[in-house]
PDB file of all heavy atoms in Angstrom:
ATOM      1  N   CYS B1043      20.161  30.265  25.382  1.00  0.00           N
ATOM      2  CA  CYS B1043      18.953  30.827  24.779  1.00  0.00           C
ATOM      3  C   CYS B1043      19.267  31.508  23.463  1.00  0.00           C
ATOM      4  O   CYS B1043      18.368  31.855  22.698  1.00  0.00           O
ATOM      5  CB  CYS B1043      18.313  31.839  25.726  1.00  0.00           C
ATOM      6  SG  CYS B1043      19.295  33.352  25.861  1.00  0.00           S
ATOM      7  N   GLY B1044      20.565  31.742  23.222  1.00  0.00           N
ATOM      8  CA  GLY B1044      20.967  32.362  21.966  1.00  0.00           C
ATOM      9  C   GLY B1044      21.347  33.828  22.073  1.00  0.00           C
ATOM     10  O   GLY B1044      21.743  34.443  21.085  1.00  0.00           O
ATOM     11  N   ALA B1045      21.261  34.402  23.273  1.00  0.00           N
ATOM     12  CA  ALA B1045      21.489  35.849  23.401  1.00  0.00           C
ATOM     13  C   ALA B1045      22.922  36.214  23.736  1.00  0.00           C
ATOM     14  O   ALA B1045      23.367  37.326  23.464  1.00  0.00           O
ATOM     15  CB  ALA B1045      20.558  36.432  24.463  1.00  0.00           C
ATOM     16  N   GLN B1049      25.161  38.277  20.911  1.00  0.00           N
ATOM     17  CA  GLN B1049      24.205  37.873  19.867  1.00  0.00           C
ATOM     18  C   GLN B1049      22.895  38.641  20.004  1.00  0.00           C
ATOM     19  O   GLN B1049      22.177  38.837  19.028  1.00  0.00           O
ATOM     20  CB  GLN B1049      23.895  36.369  19.941  1.00  0.00           C
ATOM     21  CG  GLN B1049      25.058  35.458  19.669  1.00  0.00           C
ATOM     22  CD  GLN B1049      25.562  35.537  18.250  1.00  0.00           C
ATOM     23  OE1 GLN B1049      24.848  35.953  17.349  1.00  0.00           O
ATOM     24  NE2 GLN B1049      26.807  35.176  18.050  1.00  0.00           N
ATOM     25  N   MET B1050      22.584  39.057  21.245  1.00  0.00           N
ATOM     26  CA  MET B1050      21.346  39.789  21.515  1.00  0.00           C
ATOM     27  C   MET B1050      21.204  40.987  20.586  1.00  0.00           C
ATOM     28  O   MET B1050      20.104  41.402  20.244  1.00  0.00           O
ATOM     29  CB  MET B1050      21.394  40.266  22.976  1.00  0.00           C
ATOM     30  CG  MET B1050      20.173  40.987  23.454  1.00  0.00           C
ATOM     31  SD  MET B1050      18.846  39.790  23.687  1.00  0.00           S
ATOM     32  CE  MET B1050      17.459  40.889  23.921  1.00  0.00           C
ATOM     33  N   ASN B1062      16.939  30.369  20.047  1.00  0.00           N
ATOM     34  CA  ASN B1062      15.884  30.490  21.057  1.00  0.00           C
ATOM     35  C   ASN B1062      14.701  29.568  20.759  1.00  0.00           C
ATOM     36  O   ASN B1062      14.039  29.085  21.668  1.00  0.00           O
ATOM     37  CB  ASN B1062      15.430  31.945  21.223  1.00  0.00           C
ATOM     38  CG  ASN B1062      14.797  32.513  19.971  1.00  0.00           C
ATOM     39  OD1 ASN B1062      15.145  32.115  18.858  1.00  0.00           O
ATOM     40  ND2 ASN B1062      13.862  33.427  20.146  1.00  0.00           N
ATOM     41  N   VAL B1063      14.473  29.295  19.470  1.00  0.00           N
ATOM     42  CA  VAL B1063      13.377  28.379  19.119  1.00  0.00           C
ATOM     43  C   VAL B1063      13.750  26.957  19.552  1.00  0.00           C
ATOM     44  O   VAL B1063      12.945  26.241  20.153  1.00  0.00           O
ATOM     45  CB  VAL B1063      13.082  28.443  17.608  1.00  0.00           C
ATOM     46  CG1 VAL B1063      12.066  27.382  17.215  1.00  0.00           C
ATOM     47  CG2 VAL B1063      12.587  29.839  17.231  1.00  0.00           C
ATOM     48  N   THR B1066      13.330  26.835  23.199  1.00  0.00           N
ATOM     49  CA  THR B1066      11.926  26.866  23.596  1.00  0.00           C
ATOM     50  C   THR B1066      11.296  25.484  23.396  1.00  0.00           C
ATOM     51  O   THR B1066      10.482  25.041  24.210  1.00  0.00           O
ATOM     52  CB  THR B1066      11.165  27.937  22.792  1.00  0.00           C
ATOM     53  OG1 THR B1066      11.822  29.187  22.982  1.00  0.00           O
ATOM     54  CG2 THR B1066       9.728  28.062  23.267  1.00  0.00           C
ATOM     55  N   PRO B1082      17.454  38.701  32.211  1.00  0.00           N
ATOM     56  CA  PRO B1082      16.555  39.480  31.354  1.00  0.00           C
ATOM     57  C   PRO B1082      16.682  39.114  29.869  1.00  0.00           C
ATOM     58  O   PRO B1082      15.702  39.192  29.124  1.00  0.00           O
ATOM     59  CB  PRO B1082      16.987  40.930  31.596  1.00  0.00           C
ATOM     60  CG  PRO B1082      18.345  40.852  32.206  1.00  0.00           C
ATOM     61  CD  PRO B1082      18.402  39.557  32.941  1.00  0.00           C
ATOM     62  N   PHE B1083      17.886  38.708  29.443  1.00  0.00           N
ATOM     63  CA  PHE B1083      18.068  38.377  28.023  1.00  0.00           C
ATOM     64  C   PHE B1083      17.451  37.021  27.697  1.00  0.00           C
ATOM     65  O   PHE B1083      16.773  36.866  26.682  1.00  0.00           O
ATOM     66  CB  PHE B1083      19.552  38.422  27.653  1.00  0.00           C
ATOM     67  CG  PHE B1083      20.141  39.792  27.828  1.00  0.00           C
ATOM     68  CD1 PHE B1083      20.923  40.087  28.926  1.00  0.00           C
ATOM     69  CD2 PHE B1083      19.872  40.795  26.910  1.00  0.00           C
ATOM     70  CE1 PHE B1083      21.454  41.355  29.103  1.00  0.00           C
ATOM     71  CE2 PHE B1083      20.393  42.069  27.070  1.00  0.00           C
ATOM     72  CZ  PHE B1083      21.187  42.359  28.173  1.00  0.00           C
ATOM     73  N   CYS B1084      17.668  36.047  28.585  1.00  0.00           N
ATOM     74  CA  CYS B1084      17.002  34.753  28.402  1.00  0.00           C
ATOM     75  C   CYS B1084      15.495  34.981  28.343  1.00  0.00           C
ATOM     76  O   CYS B1084      14.787  34.376  27.541  1.00  0.00           O
ATOM     77  CB  CYS B1084      17.292  33.802  29.567  1.00  0.00           C
ATOM     78  SG  CYS B1084      19.008  33.338  29.763  1.00  0.00           S
ATOM     79  N   ASN B1085      15.019  35.848  29.221  1.00  0.00           N
ATOM     80  CA  ASN B1085      13.598  36.121  29.299  1.00  0.00           C
ATOM     81  C   ASN B1085      13.063  36.580  27.937  1.00  0.00           C
ATOM     82  O   ASN B1085      12.066  36.055  27.430  1.00  0.00           O
ATOM     83  CB  ASN B1085      13.369  37.200  30.369  1.00  0.00           C
ATOM     84  CG  ASN B1085      11.920  37.271  30.817  1.00  0.00           C
ATOM     85  OD1 ASN B1085      11.025  37.344  29.977  1.00  0.00           O
ATOM     86  ND2 ASN B1085      11.691  37.238  32.123  1.00  0.00           N
ATOM     87  N   THR B1086      13.750  37.549  27.338  1.00  0.00           N
ATOM     88  CA  THR B1086      13.343  38.038  26.016  1.00  0.00           C
ATOM     89  C   THR B1086      13.377  36.915  24.988  1.00  0.00           C
ATOM     90  O   THR B1086      12.437  36.740  24.199  1.00  0.00           O
ATOM     91  CB  THR B1086      14.308  39.148  25.551  1.00  0.00           C
ATOM     92  OG1 THR B1086      14.324  40.164  26.548  1.00  0.00           O
ATOM     93  CG2 THR B1086      13.878  39.725  24.225  1.00  0.00           C
ATOM     94  N   MET B1087      14.481  36.153  24.987  1.00  0.00           N
ATOM     95  CA  MET B1087      14.641  35.114  23.977  1.00  0.00           C
ATOM     96  C   MET B1087      13.572  34.045  24.116  1.00  0.00           C
ATOM     97  O   MET B1087      12.999  33.586  23.131  1.00  0.00           O
ATOM     98  CB  MET B1087      16.031  34.463  24.104  1.00  0.00           C
ATOM     99  CG  MET B1087      17.170  35.364  23.706  1.00  0.00           C
ATOM    100  SD  MET B1087      16.927  36.129  22.102  1.00  0.00           S
ATOM    101  CE  MET B1087      18.234  35.449  21.153  1.00  0.00           C
ATOM    102  N   MET B1088      13.298  33.635  25.347  1.00  0.00           N
ATOM    103  CA  MET B1088      12.314  32.582  25.562  1.00  0.00           C
ATOM    104  C   MET B1088      10.907  33.104  25.267  1.00  0.00           C
ATOM    105  O   MET B1088      10.073  32.381  24.723  1.00  0.00           O
ATOM    106  CB  MET B1088      12.397  32.036  26.992  1.00  0.00           C
ATOM    107  CG  MET B1088      13.739  31.386  27.344  1.00  0.00           C
ATOM    108  SD  MET B1088      14.235  30.069  26.220  1.00  0.00           S
ATOM    109  CE  MET B1088      13.277  28.702  26.847  1.00  0.00           C
ATOM    110  N   THR B1089      10.658  34.369  25.624  1.00  0.00           N
ATOM    111  CA  THR B1089       9.355  34.951  25.319  1.00  0.00           C
ATOM    112  C   THR B1089       9.127  34.954  23.806  1.00  0.00           C
ATOM    113  O   THR B1089       8.059  34.565  23.318  1.00  0.00           O
ATOM    114  CB  THR B1089       9.266  36.394  25.866  1.00  0.00           C
ATOM    115  OG1 THR B1089       9.566  36.353  27.261  1.00  0.00           O
ATOM    116  CG2 THR B1089       7.879  36.987  25.667  1.00  0.00           C
ATOM    117  N   ASP B1090      10.146  35.363  23.060  1.00  0.00           N
ATOM    118  CA  ASP B1090      10.034  35.346  21.594  1.00  0.00           C
ATOM    119  C   ASP B1090       9.844  33.925  21.078  1.00  0.00           C
ATOM    120  O   ASP B1090       9.078  33.698  20.138  1.00  0.00           O
ATOM    121  CB  ASP B1090      11.297  35.944  20.952  1.00  0.00           C
ATOM    122  CG  ASP B1090      11.365  37.450  21.155  1.00  0.00           C
ATOM    123  OD1 ASP B1090      10.353  38.030  21.606  1.00  0.00           O
ATOM    124  OD2 ASP B1090      12.431  38.040  20.869  1.00  0.00           O
ATOM    125  N   GLY B1091      10.553  32.989  21.693  1.00  0.00           N
ATOM    126  CA  GLY B1091      10.428  31.597  21.277  1.00  0.00           C
ATOM    127  C   GLY B1091       9.011  31.084  21.486  1.00  0.00           C
ATOM    128  O   GLY B1091       8.427  30.443  20.601  1.00  0.00           O
ATOM    129  N   VAL B1092       8.446  31.399  22.655  1.00  0.00           N
ATOM    130  CA  VAL B1092       7.083  30.956  22.955  1.00  0.00           C
ATOM    131  C   VAL B1092       6.101  31.577  21.961  1.00  0.00           C
ATOM    132  O   VAL B1092       5.184  30.924  21.463  1.00  0.00           O
ATOM    133  CB  VAL B1092       6.706  31.306  24.415  1.00  0.00           C
ATOM    134  CG1 VAL B1092       5.227  31.075  24.665  1.00  0.00           C
ATOM    135  CG2 VAL B1092       7.551  30.494  25.382  1.00  0.00           C
TER     136      VAL B1092
END
Side-chain angles (χ1 to χ4, degrees):
Chain B
C1043 71
Q1049 296 294 338
M1050 183 73 191
N1062 64 330
V1063 173
T1066 304
F1083 298 102
C1084 297
N1085 197 310
T1086 304
M1087 291 309 244
M1088 298 305 279
T1089 305
D1090 288 350
V1092 170

